[in-house]
Amino acid sequence: MTPRRRITVVSWNIHSGVGLDRRYRLGRVLRVLADLTPDIVALQEVDTGYRVPGAAEQVRQLRRAVGGDAV
């Protein structure tokens, strides 16, 4: 019998890093992801600098926080 492995998957619409308080705080997203230590992350509405001024580095910051590759 093959031992079972637990895999943590996170799917999350991060709304470009803007919270319910309508403030851009990508650090909050990064902290939650760090706490969850997911194996697989599927994020929606990651900004590439179109919605939130100064957010063009989001993909790079998020990839660095969780490791691996971004698609």
Side-chain angles (χ1 to χ4, degrees):
M1 189 161 137
T2 305
R4 293 184 180 187
R5 180 173 177 222
R6 182 176 179 187
I7 295 176
T8 303
V9 179
V10 173
S11 176
W12 187 5
N13 183 332
I14 65 166
H15 300 283
S16 300
V18 177
L20 294 175
D21 60 359
R22 298 185 180 188
R23 293 181 182 203
Y24 175 73
R25 299 281 193 269
L26 189 62
R28 294 184 283 200
V29 174
L30 298 173
R31 280 191 301 278
V32 170
L33 291 174
D35 288 346
L36 294 173
T37 61
D39 297 294
I40 299 171
V41 179
L43 300 175
Q44 299 84 43
E45 292 191 28
V46 175
D47 202 315
T48 55
Y50 297 106
R51 258 182 83 192
V52 179
E57 296 294 313
Q58 274 193 12
V59 173
R60 193 168 302 138
Q61 290 174 333
L62 290 162
R63 185 176 60 219
R64 218 178 342 207
V66 298
D69 297 309
V71 179

